[in-house]
Amino acid sequence: MPVTPLVRTRGASFGYDDVPVVTGIDLTVDDGEVVALLGPNGSGKSTLVRGLLGLVPHLGGQVELFGTPLAAGAERHRIGYVPQRHTLANAVRSTVTEIVATGRLTHRRWWQPTTTTDRRHVREALDLVGLSDRATDEVSTLSGGQQRRVLIARALAADPDLLVMDEPTAGVDQGNQVVLGQLFAELAARGASMLVVTHELDALESSVTRIVCLDGGRVDFDGTPAAYAAHHLALGAHPVGSGYHHEHHEHRAHTPAGRPLLGSPALLDAGPLLGTGVPTDDEPGRL
Ligand code: ADP
Ligand code: MG
């Protein structure tokens, strides 16, 4: 039985004011894939991922998320999105936990109280990005790279089926690059599906299963990291992140669709841990 891709576009175009920026896009993201989206500045990477999220007008072609047409809009909440920016606004006085907790809003109405399930997801997301010790600190006291990790934790807290990140490592210092690289490897090992816009493949090196390149609003390469390296060598260029260890991909844990990203791997092996709706988890509480 064919497995429904998480994302499937055919001849899709997205743009602004009826002027397409990306056109003829055939893009598929299957369950368990880690797809790196590369391309020069202005090639339309952000426009494409924002288009998939319904944040940029869809001007043509087919777009399906989890097998449902984008226009229906019903499946967007299953995508965790980390937008392209470097820091959170300093004007907003919020703690790290408060920001991450907003990631849980996709699971309940805003006026409903938080539950122990919400709080557990928030704690686990903070633990995963290595910021548990900063949970009660004001976000403005964190470095740019740490703030980036807060945004990733916010996306993870929603327990998404697909994580879409737009340049998560851009402008991040070396120490945070290493932490993010470890985080992506951990998520990939748990079977997370990711679509990541990046210029720095190194942080994703051991996790990427496929590379898609945009140029001038069109896909000009779509293949494995090995094929990408060969493509660049054929062009006489030095491949980005040329030290690919694509043999790592075979070691990726195979996990079925819908498996939660949070929780310890040992517990995950015992079956779904999160979001099972155990009644006692739903008592009201405060973060
Ligand atoms: P990338 O993320 O690859 O750097 P973008 O998707 O941000 O590229 O931009 C692609 C093109 O779309 C650029 O020419 C840019 O000027 C244009 N563009 C981006 N955002 C907007 C917008 N909000 N309104 C109109 N044009 C935009
Ligand atoms: Mg961009």
Side-chain angles (χ1 to χ4, degrees):
M1 198 178 81
V3 178
T4 308
L6 309 185
V7 173
R8 183 177 184 278
T9 78
R10 287 293 171 268
S13 55
F14 301 98
Y16 309 91
D17 299 325
D18 290 336
V19 180
V21 166
V22 294
T23 50
I25 304 291
D26 294 344
L27 175 72
T28 304
V29 180
D30 284 318
D31 188 49
E33 279 198 302
V34 179
V35 178
L37 183 57
L38 311 182
N41 280 336
S43 57
K45 304 180 298 296
S46 294
T47 300
L48 173 55
V49 297
R50 286 166 47 78
L52 295 175
L53 287 147
L55 300 171
V56 164
H58 173 206
L59 302 179
Q62 294 171 27
V63 182
E64 288 181 359
L65 302 179
F66 309 98
T68 303
L70 176 70
E75 304 293 322
R76 264 177 228 147
H77 69 277
R78 294 174 63 183
I79 299 179
Y81 174 52
V82 181
Q84 177 178 10
R85 61 177 155 168
H86 293 226
T87 55
L88 295 155
N90 286 344
V92 182
R93 285 173 62 93
S94 303
T95 67
V96 168
T97 294
E98 283 166 351
I99 296 287
V100 175
T102 62
R104 294 297 303 163
L105 287 172
T106 54
H107 287 261
R108 61 186 165 86
R109 306 287 186 185
W110 60 267
W111 63 84
Q112 291 175 334
T114 59
T115 65
T116 49
T117 307
D118 291 326
R119 292 193 294 281
R120 191 176 68 229
H121 277 79
V122 169
R123 268 200 315 275
E124 288 176 1
L126 277 173
D127 191 37
L128 206 47
V129 303
L131 286 175
S132 297
D133 57 333
R134 306 298 303 268
T136 56
D137 292 354
E138 277 209 23
V139 168
S140 59
T141 65
L142 272 60
S143 72
Q146 289 169 330
Q147 293 190 15
R148 176 75 13 184
R149 281 152 62 194
V150 172
L151 290 177
I152 294 170
R154 180 179 66 175
L156 290 173
D159 205 15
D161 292 318
L162 171 66
L163 192 55
V164 175
M165 297 185 277
D166 196 345
E167 304 209 21
T169 54
V172 164
D173 63 63
Q174 190 57 38
N176 277 294
Q177 292 263 3
V178 171
V179 173
L180 287 174
Q182 290 166 348
L183 171 62
F184 299 150
E186 171 67 19
L187 291 172
R190 292 179 181 205
S193 310
M194 297 186 255
L195 174 61
V196 188
V197 176
T198 188
H199 287 290
E200 291 123 342
L201 270 175
D202 290 350
L204 283 165
E205 196 174 359
S206 63
S207 321
V208 167
T209 55
R210 198 150 54 82
I211 292 176
V212 175
C213 297
L214 277 188
D215 200 4
R218 290 183 168 272
V219 174
D220 76 344
F221 178 86
D222 185 341
T224 63
Y228 176 76
H231 173 77
H232 274 256
L233 286 173
L235 293 175
H238 294 292
V240 188
S242 47
Y244 271 115
H245 305 302
H246 42 268
E247 63 273 17
H248 283 205
H249 306 153
E250 278 127 49
H251 301 315
R252 290 198 52 195
H254 178 78
T255 53
R259 176 160 283 192
L261 300 183
L262 304 180
S264 74
L267 285 170
L268 286 176
D269 284 342
L273 172 70
L274 304 173
T276 49
V278 178
T280 52
D281 270 350
D282 290 324
E283 76 228 12
R286 289 172 51 79
L287 282 166

